Amino acid sequence: MSDKRTGSIIFSHIEPFAGLNAALSKTKIDILSEVRNSNLRGRGGAGFPTGIKWNLAASAKEEKKYVVCNADEGEPGTFKDRVLLTEMPEILFEGMTIAAYAIGADEGLVYLRGEYSSFFPRLEKVLQDMRAAGRLGKDILGKTGFNFDIQIRMGAGAYVCGEETALIESMEGQRGEPRNRPPFPVNTGYNGYPTIVNNIETFVNVPHIILKGAEWFKGFGTEKSAGTKLLSVSGDCKAPGVYEVEYGTSIRDVLAMVGGENVKAVQVGGASGVCLSAGEFDRKIAFEDVPTGGSFIVFNQQRDMLGAAENFLEFFKEESCGQCTPCREGIPVLIDGLKKIRAGQCRVEYVDDLLSLCETMQMASKCGLGQSVPNAFLSILKNFKNEYELVSSNK
């Protein structure tokens, strides 16, 4: 790990595999209880409680189970998982192995973003070293009956495969499209077997929790958002990079930390997130206020926010799998409407229609991609009304 990075949890010092050694001295129930009591929530943005997910998979009766790591970091403006893969792959694989012990899985899979193919040899070397040291394979570290190994599967650059069921479809060799739910992966996942899917940052938290305890972990963050969050900070600031902040940290404090000056807006959560204006900079990074998978894009006063919204929509147009009508047909309509707004040719009534379409997309789209498409569009229209002018209905 870079000695320049500091943080309360993830960027604090931890001896690789000390968490695994500690885990194997406990029962599976102890591990599940510790993770549940820690209030660790998924760090991909949705924030589903990790302990609940693991307990559901552990209670499934099938003999075959899988642990899957979502390493398909495709959200625009997000690059913190790249740092974790580069600087602490051992901690990632250790977290996956602890999860396997807890739920009774014997096989793990890392779904690695296609653009990160250069990391493959290094990650494979770490896995080989773990096997040689008895940390993967049969009877891990002398624990009779605990057999587990990890494979790496390459993605092909599809944003929608960041959604867990689309990711599973892709790993099975199918087109990467979200599944209907239920059933959920914890019951019917990879190859039809119970599967937990967590992202890199979630797994990296686990060895810290096992070593230092749930109460220690809950000492950081807020009551509803325990722990810390990695932010990928980019855009108009003096010190872009990856930062570990406690949940409950304000947007304003993050901007001060990274040298953001004369800031007009911050896009939190990438293209699928929300755009906050200066009047909202006292809001907090937390599941109960401003949740994020990690992207934090800073815009200064010279930026064209409607242009930013159009850029995000064009991205979604390219990345939509096209499976469901609200997303497939709705995105081009939003793009066309935004172009009319930018050109000063949009009537108030048409904007009302666009807002109604956004509501439909949020309610009726099959997966999180279509549901989150309107977020930036809506927040930019709301927060930057001074940047556009609508045609009144009596003209």
Side-chain angles (χ1 to χ4, degrees):
M1 186 181 81
S2 170
D3 56 10
K4 295 182 181 180
R5 300 192 196 282
T6 58
S8 302
I9 297 175
I10 290 178
F11 292 146
S12 66
H13 175 75
I14 183 174
E15 189 68 30
F17 309 113
L20 177 59
N21 291 332
L24 295 183
S25 69
K26 303 175 185 290
T27 67
K28 297 180 180 182
I29 293 175
D30 289 339
I31 301 298
L32 292 170
S33 296
E34 200 73 37
V35 173
R36 184 183 65 246
N37 292 337
S38 73
N39 293 338
L40 174 66
R41 296 171 65 171
R43 294 318 198 226
F48 190 84
T50 304
I52 292 177
K53 180 181 288 189
W54 289 19
N55 273 274
L56 289 170
S59 63
K61 302 303 182 185
E62 288 82 348
E63 292 185 5
K64 183 75 174 177
K65 298 176 184 178
Y66 291 93
V67 171
V68 172
C69 175
N70 181 349
D72 190 57
E73 185 176 45
E75 188 67 55
T78 307
F79 44 88
K80 47 92 179 177
D81 284 350
R82 178 176 183 146
V83 169
L84 298 181
L85 286 169
T86 302
E87 298 186 359
M88 51 185 76
E90 296 87 353
I91 308 297
L92 162 64
F93 296 142
E94 179 182 8
M96 293 179 65
T97 307
I98 293 170
Y101 174 63
I103 73 166
D106 62 4
E107 191 169 345
L109 301 158
V110 176
Y111 187 83
L112 184 64
R113 181 182 181 187
E115 291 86 346
Y116 289 175
S117 59
S118 62
F119 297 169
F120 186 89
R122 158 78 168 133
L123 296 175
E124 275 292 334
K125 176 63 165 56
V126 173
L127 291 175
Q128 290 171 10
D129 290 346
M130 287 179 66
R131 294 181 189 112
R135 297 183 175 115
L136 286 176
K138 185 176 175 60
D139 297 331
I140 291 175
L141 296 179
K143 192 73 173 182
T144 304
F146 178 35
N147 310 318
F148 179 69
D149 209 338
I150 298 172
Q151 301 177 41
I152 299 174
R153 300 287 182 86
M154 295 303 304
Y159 174 84
V160 73
C161 287
E163 195 277 336
E164 63 179 9
T165 62
L167 180 154
I168 291 170
E169 286 286 304
S170 177
M171 287 200 308
E172 290 179 350
Q174 312 299 323
R175 180 182 174 91
E177 294 182 343
R179 296 175 175 176
N180 290 321
R181 295 184 294 180
F184 295 94
V186 289
N187 303 118
T188 308
Y190 182 64
N191 289 335
Y193 291 103
T195 303
I196 60 167
V197 183
N198 291 116
N199 77 345
I200 294 173
E201 187 179 348
T202 308
F203 280 122
V204 169
N205 272 286
V206 170
H208 294 270
I209 293 170
I210 298 305
L211 267 180
K212 301 175 184 177
E215 292 304 315
W216 167 83
F217 185 79
K218 288 191 292 187
F220 303 98
T222 72
E223 183 177 351
K224 295 182 179 179
S225 302
T228 61
K229 185 74 192 80
L230 295 188
L231 298 180
S232 306
V233 181
S234 61
D236 301 318
C237 60
K238 294 179 180 178
V242 176
Y243 293 82
E244 182 178 7
V245 303
E246 285 193 47
Y247 278 114
T249 301
S250 71
I251 305 298
R252 193 178 308 280
D253 286 343
V254 176
L255 289 173
M257 187 185 309
V258 305
E261 299 176 354
N262 298 315
V263 177
K264 176 192 285 189
V266 176
Q267 179 75 16
V268 183
S272 62
V274 295
C275 194
L276 304 178
S277 62
E280 299 176 284
F281 288 173
D282 288 323
R283 294 184 64 183
K284 314 292 187 184
I285 299 293
F287 290 108
E288 64 268 28
D289 193 356
V290 184
T292 175
S295 177
F296 191 98
I297 306 172
V298 183
F299 296 91
N300 66 22
Q301 295 295 335
Q302 285 68 51
R303 296 292 182 175
D304 171 12
M305 299 314 300
L306 293 181
E310 186 173 339
N311 183 277
F312 291 145
L313 288 173
E314 290 287 356
F315 168 80
F316 280 123
K317 180 181 177 182
E318 291 297 319
E319 294 297 339
S320 171
C321 74
Q323 184 181 177
C324 65
T325 303
C327 183
R328 182 184 66 246
E329 303 298 331
I331 296 173
V333 173
L334 292 181
I335 292 173
D336 181 65
L338 190 53
K339 288 180 176 178
K340 290 179 179 177
I341 293 172
R342 296 185 73 192
Q345 299 172 350
C346 189
R347 292 187 177 275
V348 174
E349 295 91 343
Y350 188 50
V351 172
D352 290 339
D353 290 341
L354 293 176
L355 298 179
S356 178
L357 171 61
C358 288
E359 185 177 350
T360 299
M361 293 175 70
Q362 290 172 328
M363 296 289 291
S365 293
K366 187 173 183 179
C367 80
L369 189 155
Q371 294 164 12
S372 61
V373 163
N375 290 346
F377 175 83
L378 289 170
S379 54
I380 288 174
L381 282 191
K382 173 187 173 184
N383 291 331
F384 302 97
K385 293 180 179 179
N386 62 315
E387 297 194 16
Y388 62 92
E389 190 170 333
L390 302 177
V391 179
S392 64
S393 57
N394 58 7
K395 287 186 179 180

